[in-house]
């Protein structure tokens, strides 16, 4: 395999780091961002520590690990991981998860894995988020590989095939685990469903038939549960704008606001629950089925393992009862927890500043974001 074809999308090699880190240190925008992330520490001291990093993992442990745990300590009520469904910690997996936060889903996963004595993950990140040149350098130092967007159909097929070959190479040859979302972008209503297109991309690389190619990837579903989504009001706002404004699309500034809000907003409790690798189910598939049917069954399997491993919080039950006008789950929350959640929803609605604000519509969308995980959890557990 000619691995030079991956040069534009792969993380940097460790031997490339000295030059890239010097370029980052010299970038004034990076300096500003670094000083904002780590206040009260002179940038020269940060630069000295960054220059001492010899590998990407060194950089992550020196620069990213502390920042992410500081965010967890200041903006969550606890960050936890249960990895017991995958007892072999030496094996490389493709962790495929639901997607709540642009940065923190993969960031939190990596620091939790480090605390388990494991390696961090390589991360699939869309190039639409690489707003400034220093961000592209930073994410590639941070073990990210680039998913190219906004391409023609032919270019998209070529790009998807190249990325699939890279991911197969990463799992099989580098023995390096990967994090990838189950769909392009976040599910704004938290109705998490695996897109067949993601599986089709994964099946473009590797050897053998469709099932064998996916088995090579060691897909391990991962359920991520945030008690509160700090971007919920932004997602609800986007629903109304898409309803009312023909051709509405988010801007680069919108993406920046979403990233900042997700990083520094209150998240309550956050839990990462690993599910078993799906290779056992893949082995049982009837390979004579048409490909669309195979992909549909595999997506359903991943969804079932993600949905059944959500962690439910009082707000999920309260939102369901509020939305349905029932008291079906009142045994799962106290009156105090109910009032706290009601106050939270009204507080989030108050942050939305748009023309012709439709409060009932927005409240319904907010409640649906918290009810959908419970609806899917109950269906998966039946």
């Amino acid at each position: 395999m000619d691995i030079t074809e991956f040069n534009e999308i792969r993380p940097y090699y460790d031997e490339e780091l000295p030059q890239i880190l010097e370029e980052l240190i010299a970038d004034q925008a990076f300096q500003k961002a670094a000083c904002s992330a780590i206040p009260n520490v002179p940038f020269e001291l940060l630069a000295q520590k960054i220059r001492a990093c010899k590998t990407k993992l060194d950089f992550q442990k020196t620069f990213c690990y502390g920042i992410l745990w500081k965010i967890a300590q200041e903006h969550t009520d606890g960050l936890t991981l249960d990895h017991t469904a995958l007892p072999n910690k030496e094996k490389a997996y493709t962790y495929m998860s639901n997607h709540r936060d642009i940065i923190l889903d993969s960031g939190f996963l990596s620091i939790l894995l480090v605390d388990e004595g494991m390696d961090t993950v390589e991360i699939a990140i869309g190039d639409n988020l690489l707003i400034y040149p220093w961000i592209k350098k930073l994410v590639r130092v941070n073990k990210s590989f680039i998913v190219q967007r906004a391409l023609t159909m032919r270019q998209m097929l070529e790009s998807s095939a190249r990325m699939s070959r890279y991911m197969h190479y990463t799992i099989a040859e580098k023995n390096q685990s990967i994090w990838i979302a189950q769909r392009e972008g976040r599910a704004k209503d938290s109705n998490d469903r695996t897109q067949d297109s993601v599986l089709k991309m994964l099946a473009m690389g590797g050897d053998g038939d469709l099932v064998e190619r996916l088995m090579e990837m060691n897909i391990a579903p991962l359920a991520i549960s945030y008690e509160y989504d700090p971007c919920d009001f932004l997602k609800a706002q986007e629903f109304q704008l898409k309803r009312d404004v023909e051709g509405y699309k988010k801007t680069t500034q919108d993406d920046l606001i979403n990233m900042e809000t997700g990083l520094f907003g209150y998240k309550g409790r956050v839990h990462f629950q690993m599910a078993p690798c799906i290779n056992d189910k893949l082995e049982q598939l009837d390979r004579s089925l048409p490909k669309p049917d195979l992909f549909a069954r595999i997506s359903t399997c991943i969804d079932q393992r993600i949905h059944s491993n959500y962690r439910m919080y009082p707000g999920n039950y309260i939102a369901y009862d509020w939305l349905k006008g029932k008291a079906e789950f009142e045994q799962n929350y106290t009156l105090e927890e109910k009032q706290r959640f009601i106050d939270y929803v009204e507080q989030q609605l108050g942050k939305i500043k748009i023309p012709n604000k439709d409060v009932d519509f927005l409240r319904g969308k907010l409640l649906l974001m918290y009810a959908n995980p419970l609806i899917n959890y109950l269906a998966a557990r039946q």
Side-chain angles (χ1 to χ4, degrees):
M1 178 184 291
D2 180 9
I3 61 174
T4 60
E5 69 166 323
F6 307 136
N7 282 348
E8 289 302 310
I9 64 168
R10 61 166 172 78
Y12 291 115
Y13 296 133
D14 288 341
E15 54 266 31
E16 296 174 290
L17 287 192
Q19 178 183 340
I20 300 301
L21 294 178
E22 285 299 334
E23 291 174 4
L24 277 173
I25 289 167
D27 190 301
Q28 291 187 350
F30 172 74
Q31 293 176 17
K32 183 178 179 181
C35 290
S36 175
I38 311 178
N40 306 319
V41 177
F43 182 76
E44 278 307 313
L45 181 58
L46 290 177
Q48 184 179 343
K49 290 185 176 181
I50 291 170
R51 287 190 179 102
C53 297
K54 304 301 181 186
T55 67
K56 294 185 293 296
L57 186 58
D58 285 345
F59 179 84
Q60 290 179 311
K61 288 182 175 180
T62 299
F63 190 70
C64 305
Y65 178 88
I67 293 174
L68 287 164
W69 267 118
K70 187 171 186 288
I71 289 171
Q73 289 160 3
E74 294 181 355
H75 303 291
T76 79
D77 291 331
L79 173 63
T80 52
L81 164 69
D82 184 345
H83 200 278
T84 53
L86 300 170
N88 185 352
K89 294 185 178 182
E90 304 302 318
K91 191 172 184 177
Y93 294 99
T94 301
Y95 298 114
M96 185 178 292
S97 80
N98 57 311
H99 195 15
R100 288 289 179 269
D101 186 85
I102 296 170
I103 297 172
L104 294 180
D105 290 349
S106 56
F108 279 164
L109 173 61
S110 278
I111 62 172
L112 289 165
L113 291 175
V114 167
D115 285 356
E116 289 275 329
M118 300 171 67
D119 194 2
T120 55
V121 291
E122 287 200 11
I123 303 159
I125 184 169
D127 63 2
N128 57 303
L129 301 177
L130 309 180
I131 298 165
Y132 305 118
W134 69 266
I135 294 180
K136 184 173 182 178
K137 290 177 183 174
L138 180 63
V139 300
R140 292 179 71 189
V141 169
N142 202 35
K143 289 176 119 177
S144 294
F145 58 94
I146 311 303
V147 182
Q148 296 172 305
R149 313 273 197 214
L151 303 174
T152 65
M153 183 62 71
R154 180 175 177 178
Q155 289 172 329
M156 182 63 74
L157 285 171
E158 292 172 350
S159 175
S160 295
R162 181 170 60 251
M163 186 168 72
S164 183
R165 288 192 294 272
Y166 175 74
M167 293 176 71
H168 279 265
Y169 163 74
T170 299
I171 294 290
E173 302 297 328
K174 295 166 65 177
N175 195 41
Q176 164 70 68
S177 291
I178 291 169
W179 174 83
I180 187 170
Q182 67 181 156
R183 50 166 289 149
E184 180 180 334
R186 296 168 296 166
K188 300 296 191 295
D189 60 359
S190 300
N191 184 17
D192 303 311
R193 302 287 168 179
T194 302
Q195 288 179 333
D196 290 355
S197 58
V198 174
L199 297 175
K200 289 175 183 177
M201 180 276 294
L202 291 178
M204 295 173 84
D207 298 314
D209 63 18
L210 184 157
V211 171
E212 289 167 338
R213 290 173 178 225
L214 290 178
M215 287 181 68
E216 284 182 8
M217 296 303 294
N218 300 328
I219 298 170
L222 165 62
I224 303 176
S225 304
Y226 287 68
E227 186 173 11
Y228 296 99
D229 179 351
C231 291
D232 51 16
F233 73 99
L234 294 171
K235 294 174 181 177
Q237 175 178 287
E238 187 177 339
F239 273 117
Q240 182 177 336
L241 290 171
K242 282 184 174 179
R243 184 195 72 177
D244 296 348
V245 181
E246 186 176 350
Y248 171 79
K249 288 186 178 180
K250 285 197 302 179
T251 64
T252 298
Q253 184 63 27
D254 292 328
D255 283 332
L256 285 169
I257 291 170
N258 270 267
M259 284 190 272
E260 182 178 2
T261 304
L263 281 170
F264 303 117
Y266 174 65
K267 290 165 269 291
R269 290 165 285 183
V270 180
H271 182 67
F272 286 64
Q273 181 67 48
M274 296 297 179
C277 177
I278 67 168
N279 282 357
D280 61 329
K281 293 295 184 183
L282 294 178
E283 285 180 342
Q284 298 170 14
L285 288 173
D286 178 358
R287 302 186 190 196
S288 67
L289 288 171
K291 284 186 178 180
D293 291 347
L294 281 172
F295 283 123
R297 293 189 183 203
I298 298 166
S299 293
T300 298
C301 170
I302 294 169
D303 291 347
Q304 194 277 334
R305 292 197 178 184
I306 290 175
H307 295 166
S308 63
N309 280 286
Y310 287 139
R311 177 161 290 186
M312 291 296 109
Y313 303 107
N316 300 114
Y317 297 106
I318 297 163
Y320 180 95
D321 281 355
W322 191 353
L323 200 61
K324 302 291 185 180
K326 299 179 179 180
E328 185 175 345
F329 292 104
E330 62 182 352
Q331 73 276 10
N332 295 96
Y333 52 86
T334 65
L335 288 175
E336 182 182 352
E337 288 169 334
K338 181 177 180 180
Q339 189 58 53
R340 182 187 182 202
F341 186 76
I342 290 171
D343 292 344
Y344 171 81
V345 169
E346 296 308 313
Q347 169 192 306
Q348 295 301 90
L349 287 171
K351 295 178 182 179
I352 300 174
K353 311 293 182 185
I354 55 175
N356 304 313
K357 181 176 172 180
D358 188 339
V359 175
D360 289 340
F361 174 84
L362 294 166
R363 184 183 292 109
K365 290 300 183 183
L366 272 171
L367 294 178
L368 193 60
M369 290 175 208
Y370 290 94
N372 269 335
L374 175 60
I375 293 168
N376 288 330
Y377 174 85
L378 294 171
R381 289 266 174 160
Q382 283 180 351

